[in-house]
Amino acid sequence: MNETLVRTAGATPVKDGVVDCDIHPLPARPDDVLAYMPERWQEHHRVYGSHFRAPFRESSPWPRAAPAISRRDAWPPNGNMPGSDLPFMREQHLDLHNIEFGILQVLGFATGSQRNLDYSAAIASALNQWQLDYWCNPEPRLKGSIVIPTEDPEAAVAEIERWAGHPAFAQIFMTPRLTEPMGRRRYWPIYEAASRHNLPIGIHGGGHGAHATTGGGWPSYYIEEHPTAGQSAQALITSLIVEGVLERWTNLRFVVVEAGFAWVPALGWRLDKHWRRLRSEVPHIERLPSEQMHQHFWFTTQPVDEPERPDDMRRTFDWIGWDRILYASDYPHWDFDDPRYAFPFRLSPEERAMLFRDNAVSLFGLA
Amino acid sequence: MARYVVATTGDIPVGTNKVVTVRGREIAVFNVKGAFYAFLNKCPHEGARLCHGAVVGLVRSDEPGTFEYTRQGEILRCPWHGWEFDIRTGQSWVDPENTWVKNYPASIERGGKLVEGPYKAEVFPVSVEEDYVVLEV
Amino acid sequence: MSWRDVKPIDCDIHVVVPHTGVLLPYLDDYWRDYVTVRGVRNLDMTSYPPTAPLTSRPDWRPATGHAGTDLALLRRHVFDELGAQIAICNVVWGAQALHHHHLAAALCRAVNAWVAAEWLDREPRLRASIVVPWQNAAHAVEEIERCAPDRRFVQVLLLAMADQPLGREHYWPIYEAAARHGLPIAIHAGSAYRHATTSLGWPSTLLEDYVAQASGFQNQLMSLICEGALSKFPDLKVVLVESGVTWLPAFMWRANKIWRAMRMETPWVDRPPAAIVRDQVRLTLQPFDAPPDAAVVERVIEQIDSDRTILFATDYPHWQFDEDEVIPAGLSADLARRVLVDNALATYPRLESLS
Ligand code: FES
């Protein structure tokens, strides 16, 4: 029997609304965003531009699977970048897949990875206003993420204060590869502000961090690098738990985006086992790490893990907890997951509702 | 099994494809070096429309660091997750035993023959002096 | 039947170099003076502080000094109490983390000679891994050639994190020599600390470093597969030691998935990565990182879908389990038998005289 045809046979209808927790918008023209920056930073952008801890200004050190990391069919008819054309996004994704709400994740400009902190802050402010004007206002199904200059927590908090409570913004946006692990104190002001405003923090895989993408050095190939998002996610969860961030701000909610999910149960088991042994090193951690994980973390499904036996996907969701799984498409990127075909087993109506909609609606307070 | 005329050969230049709908099925017809192949326009993985895929060659290697690139123009990479399919057979390269795209026999017929024969030409108007791509569906 | 009746083969126990002084008799004059004059006294590794709870189970800790330094205690714990018929000892030690690769070579040579003389000669049930100066592949090959005639050395020891990913061609001469001599490559938890232990940077605690080892192993497997090292040496077995086990299914699913998408990038990987893992990769049992829930363990074992993959190991004297609870509930009797003895025999050609 053809496994992949089974996938098709099990197609999940999208007649009920779907919340897509990962949509990537881009500006049709950089000027659309630059216009929101002070002249000084527009000039900086034109003359110097991005300055990363990475060899290339505009591309990844590992050539991606496809141009603009995108589905080959996601280029709008006007020839602009994938994800830059709202009418085309509506036609190809929002309407086709009955997306009731979509959470924008703004990777363009790689804000959190900029080495020039003032430039980073200027980009963040501009991107937030741009999300509102170009996406959330014209298309209320789309909810923004507050982009912050992560490495300058003071400026990051100012940006959070500026947008917190605005109904168009659903969460704070971060990428995990930074100067230090995410739980370290330099980032605590961000968590304090998120806690105060009860805003979820979406952590989307990626960023040009200060460190090799594996503990054993730099991999050669994209085929190796792509799965490292999963290991980065494990490191960020470990760091946030072990540094005590979740014991300090008990209402924090983190969404791990674009890291898959199959690794989640094993991380919890491993953390528990070794925490029990090394407890005396971290006496400030009083709650079982796997419990903290379940309480504070949500996981988006994309890129959907594909167990050899489809039923193991169900079992993985059982282990993680169905209330913590969120559908995400990653539109318009190449590793996009189609809500109809990504889950090759039969979902009960309750499971389907949780996975595709209800978990996200209650997490982000969508209405 | 009925035969459908879906295009003139000139409609589909070498290396390109045309999408036709026959009996409610969306079918992509590819021209590989002058021969025509047709398959369902839907990837068996997550359903991408294969007509948007990249037409490439087949890379193989007996030795790490070497790249033997053959059959250029005969392999389709799915426009989403890049699974490779042999355009001639619809078979998946990464999982040949279990995964393939449903394909349909395609042939070239002379218009003069078509107007006489038992073909369903409603998909496409036929004139005597051209060559046509005919699908069996 | 108790698992001890089977007389298991313990594929990971630790012998510890208490200080560099014990190696002096095994160093030549230049290096003996180097070590003495320069004060190279202690190369204990950051990953295993001798006094940390992880490093020794309380009832295995000697009254004084480091656990894993006393043969009489080791005999009692590993052979008498845990009932092993054979135990493979791994010396995880700082020679493999030095930047000075010639010094590393001298110290590895000394440590292997010390292991042979002080441990293997005195306890015939012990086997050992060859500690190699992987910083310099030529030196590492020399050390393999030197030790290989002694068939009590059953594998070659590397660590989970180093300068560059382990699939890189830098390491291939090591793999070639190992395969030629019927020596698996053991990759043991640990780091040379060339890079932060996580892709996000340096965590604050030993706990995080240790949890991150699992990610390190995943990255290394991906490297060994994608660089073609495992295809290049199809007879080579890689044993992940002290790696944890339950992360393996998720790793294989993800590796298969990205391979289907990106096969064209590394076309020498001509079958799904999970198939390569099942053929060539083995994992030691402890620390077994599952909850104490037989149903979960059963399911994970089903997902691994190979009764050849897991090798019995206590990780003595590291504290991974209490009493004799080394076999997790949820392993069938058949699988347990394979894990306890058969899989080690199939993995280590140099143990064949036992079968
Ligand atoms: S939809 Fe074609 S490879 Fe996934």
Side-chain angles (χ1 to χ4, degrees):
Chain A
M1 187 65 193
N2 179 350
E3 173 205 332
T4 50
L5 292 182
V6 172
R7 299 179 74 84
T8 311
T12 305
V14 287
K15 57 182 186 326
D16 308 320
V18 169
V19 180
D20 179 353
C21 295
D22 187 18
I23 294 178
H24 296 294
L26 274 181
R29 291 158 297 276
D31 281 348
D32 294 351
V33 174
L34 295 178
Y36 296 110
M37 289 186 196
E39 181 52 39
R40 183 253 179 276
W41 290 112
Q42 293 190 33
E43 184 64 10
H44 181 89
H45 178 87
R46 280 189 286 267
V47 178
Y48 298 100
S50 289
H51 195 47
F52 298 130
R53 294 177 279 216
F56 307 121
R57 297 173 67 245
E58 296 191 351
S59 40
S60 159
W62 297 273
R64 304 295 181 145
I69 335 175
S70 289
R71 286 169 44 165
R72 302 191 82 87
D73 58 352
W75 293 77
N78 60 19
N80 287 338
M81 294 291 279
S84 70
D85 187 80
L86 179 56
F88 187 66
M89 181 189 286
R90 282 193 186 114
E91 175 193 324
Q92 187 172 50
H93 182 48
L94 303 181
D95 296 343
L96 179 65
H97 296 124
N98 197 9
I99 304 299
E100 188 179 344
F101 293 104
I103 310 294
L104 300 175
Q105 312 270 357
V106 187
L107 293 174
F109 294 86
T111 317
S113 299
Q114 296 290 350
R115 284 157 62 182
N116 183 322
L117 297 183
D118 294 327
Y119 177 48
S120 170
I123 293 171
S125 298
L127 282 174
N128 291 328
Q129 190 65 50
W130 166 81
Q131 282 182 85
L132 192 62
D133 293 348
Y134 281 78
W135 300 93
C136 309
N137 280 345
E139 176 48 87
R141 285 181 286 181
L142 295 176
K143 298 292 176 190
S145 297
I146 304 172
V147 179
I148 56 173
T150 317
E151 299 290 6
D152 182 353
E154 212 175 302
V157 169
E159 198 58 29
I160 294 168
E161 299 296 345
R162 191 171 146 220
W163 298 103
H166 193 298
F169 286 89
Q171 62 171 7
I172 297 166
F173 174 85
M174 295 176 81
T175 48
R177 289 182 181 156
L178 301 167
T179 299
E180 293 189 53
M182 295 195 79
R184 300 267 295 182
R185 282 181 204 166
R186 65 159 61 209
Y187 307 113
W188 284 15
I190 297 169
Y191 307 137
E192 190 279 327
S195 168
R196 190 155 29 80
H197 293 292
N198 202 24
L199 270 168
I201 299 176
I203 306 174
H204 188 290
H208 300 297
H211 307 279
T213 52
T214 87
W218 298 94
S220 303
Y221 305 112
Y222 185 55
I223 188 173
E224 294 172 81
E225 199 272 339
H226 191 269
T228 63
Q231 283 103 27
S232 287
Q234 297 178 50
L236 80 87
I237 291 168
T238 304
S239 178
L240 287 165
I241 291 173
V242 174
E243 297 285 358
V245 170
L246 306 173
E247 307 247 14
R248 196 177 178 100
W249 294 287
T250 52
N251 66 336
L252 281 180
R253 294 167 297 162
F254 289 93
V255 187
V256 177
V257 185
E258 199 167 349
F261 54 84
W263 47 267
V264 171
L267 175 66
W269 301 331
R270 186 171 176 87
L271 274 168
D272 286 355
K273 178 170 177 96
H274 300 310
W275 168 74
R276 285 199 175 91
R277 183 65 65 240
L278 293 169
R279 248 183 117 157
S280 57
E281 191 190 23
V282 289
H284 56 287
I285 306 305
E286 287 170 5
R287 284 183 299 150
L288 202 60
S290 62
E291 276 169 24
Q292 297 198 39
M293 256 174 94
H294 184 253
Q295 184 179 340
H296 296 276
F297 288 92
W298 280 252
F299 301 94
T300 63
T301 49
Q302 185 275 338
V304 70
D305 285 292
E306 298 179 39
E308 292 163 300
R309 305 176 306 180
D311 186 52
D312 280 322
M313 193 192 289
R314 162 186 293 287
R315 185 53 52 100
T316 304
F317 288 161
D318 290 344
W319 285 340
I320 296 171
W322 283 86
D323 56 342
R324 289 299 185 266
I325 313 284
L326 308 169
Y327 165 74
S329 76
D330 197 30
Y331 180 87
H333 289 170
W334 72 271
D335 35 0
F336 170 87
D337 275 325
D338 188 308
R340 294 166 295 178
Y341 303 116
F343 306 97
F345 61 93
R346 210 158 287 288
L347 294 152
S348 72
E350 297 75 31
E351 291 166 347
R352 179 177 309 154
M354 282 194 278
L355 165 62
F356 283 112
R357 183 182 180 281
D358 295 356
N359 291 341
V361 165
S362 57
L363 170 67
F364 296 115
L366 303 171
Chain B
M1 187 92 77
R3 305 189 75 196
Y4 294 85
V5 183
V6 294
T8 69
T9 53
D11 283 346
I12 312 176
V14 172
T16 68
N17 70 78
K18 178 182 174 183
V19 177
V20 299
T21 302
V22 179
R23 303 230 312 251
R25 255 164 279 195
E26 212 176 281
I27 295 173
V29 187
F30 282 78
N31 179 344
V32 177
K33 301 168 190 166
F36 291 84
Y37 302 92
F39 43 79
L40 204 62
N41 191 25
K42 185 169 182 175
C43 180
H45 178 221
E46 285 196 35
R49 299 176 77 209
L50 290 168
C51 61
H52 296 292
V55 175
V56 295
L58 181 68
V59 64
R60 276 175 296 186
S61 172
D62 295 333
E63 175 74 20
T66 64
F67 301 85
E68 187 203 340
Y69 198 47
T70 60
R71 301 187 56 193
Q72 217 171 336
E74 299 178 24
I75 303 294
L76 185 74
R77 278 194 92 206
C78 175
W80 292 0
H81 314 110
W83 290 15
E84 295 157 286
F85 295 95
D86 188 329
I87 298 177
R88 293 177 190 277
T89 61
Q91 203 169 39
S92 149
W93 189 261
V94 287
D95 185 19
E97 266 139 53
N98 301 308
T99 303
W100 59 90
V101 197
K102 173 152 185 53
N103 61 352
Y104 301 95
S107 56
I108 304 173
E109 304 285 1
R110 193 75 194 161
K113 193 168 157 232
L114 289 178
V115 284
E116 304 152 16
Y119 300 101
K120 307 215 174 190
E122 69 261 33
V123 177
F124 203 81
V126 173
S127 73
V128 180
E129 57 281 358
E130 282 198 82
D131 284 341
Y132 292 90
V133 182
V134 176
L135 301 188
E136 281 181 41
V137 178
Chain C
M1 180 201 82
S2 149
W3 56 266
R4 269 180 301 200
D5 302 336
V6 181
K7 289 256 156 213
I9 296 173
D10 190 337
C11 296
D12 180 33
I13 68 162
H14 293 284
V15 156
V16 170
V17 179
H19 56 84
T20 314
V22 301
L23 302 180
L24 293 180
Y26 306 97
L27 288 165
D28 69 22
D29 295 344
Y30 172 76
W31 293 113
R32 191 179 312 114
D33 278 0
Y34 183 106
V35 163
T36 315
V37 173
R38 302 281 294 273
V40 186
R41 275 196 53 74
N42 185 324
L43 297 177
D44 284 350
M45 296 194 71
T46 301
S47 38
Y48 295 95
T51 42
L54 175 70
T55 310
S56 177
R57 210 168 103 164
D59 55 330
W60 291 338
R61 208 176 267 290
T64 57
H66 294 3
T69 58
D70 182 322
L71 178 60
L73 281 182
L74 182 147
R75 270 193 190 118
R76 187 165 94 219
H77 297 142
V78 173
F79 296 109
D80 301 346
E81 291 173 17
L82 294 168
Q85 58 168 309
I86 289 288
I88 301 170
C89 59
N90 292 310
V91 182
V92 175
W93 190 57
Q96 291 191 299
L98 286 165
H99 294 283
H100 185 332
H101 51 113
H102 304 303
L103 174 60
L107 287 172
C108 286
R109 201 180 316 130
V111 106
N112 292 324
W114 171 77
V115 164
E118 308 280 337
W119 297 85
L120 304 182
D121 285 354
R122 292 163 63 197
E123 174 48 69
R125 291 169 294 183
L126 281 178
R127 298 293 183 276
S129 301
I130 306 172
V131 182
V132 294
W134 53 340
Q135 300 92 325
N136 175 323
H139 283 335
V141 170
E142 276 166 39
E143 189 55 17
I144 293 171
E145 298 297 350
R146 201 186 64 75
C147 295
D150 182 345
R151 298 193 58 90
R152 299 172 303 176
F153 286 102
V154 298
Q155 64 186 353
V156 171
L157 186 70
L158 307 179
L159 301 180
M161 302 181 194
D163 301 66
Q164 51 178 328
L166 291 176
R168 291 277 184 88
E169 287 192 36
H170 167 87
Y171 300 103
W172 289 13
I174 300 174
Y175 304 149
E176 188 279 327
R180 185 157 37 77
H181 288 293
L183 295 159
I185 294 288
I187 303 174
H188 192 284
S191 174
Y193 294 94
R194 298 298 193 266
H195 303 281
T197 45
T198 83
S199 55
L200 308 192
W202 297 98
S204 307
T205 61
L206 178 66
L207 169 60
E208 289 162 276
D209 272 6
Y210 198 63
V211 168
Q213 293 292 333
S215 288
F217 280 102
Q218 291 158 34
N219 299 139
Q220 296 295 17
L221 270 191
M222 208 58 193
S223 174
L224 287 162
I225 293 164
C226 296
E227 298 278 3
L230 294 179
S231 327
K232 174 83 181 173
F233 305 105
D235 299 330
L236 190 70
K237 294 278 190 297
V238 170
V239 184
L240 309 185
V241 188
E242 209 179 316
S243 55
V245 174
T246 57
W247 52 263
L248 186 64
F251 167 83
M252 293 196 291
W253 303 337
R254 190 63 191 274
N256 280 359
K257 180 180 167 88
I258 189 70
W259 174 77
R260 288 193 289 262
M262 294 303 303
R263 183 205 71 86
M264 50 88 81
E265 188 168 55
T266 54
W268 42 88
V269 185
D270 57 4
R271 57 203 174 121
I276 298 175
V277 169
R278 290 184 177 115
D279 273 0
Q280 289 181 261
V281 178
R282 304 290 176 260
L283 287 78
T284 60
L285 181 67
Q286 287 291 343
F288 195 81
D289 38 13
D293 175 343
V296 169
V297 174
E298 267 169 40
R299 188 75 177 207
V300 171
I301 295 290
E302 267 176 56
Q303 293 170 348
I304 292 172
D305 191 26
S306 161
D307 54 8
R308 297 173 300 167
T309 297
I310 302 175
L311 309 180
F312 177 80
T314 60
D315 194 21
Y316 172 89
H318 296 170
W319 187 8
Q320 308 291 12
F321 58 92
D322 290 308
E323 309 291 331
D324 61 354
E325 292 158 356
V326 56
I327 302 282
L331 258 56
S332 68
D334 271 1
L335 179 60
R337 181 176 292 275
R338 296 199 60 86
V339 166
L340 286 161
V341 177
D342 302 353
N343 288 347
L345 292 178
T347 303
Y348 296 105
R350 289 173 173 230
L351 296 184
E352 72 204 351
S353 57
L354 301 172
S355 58

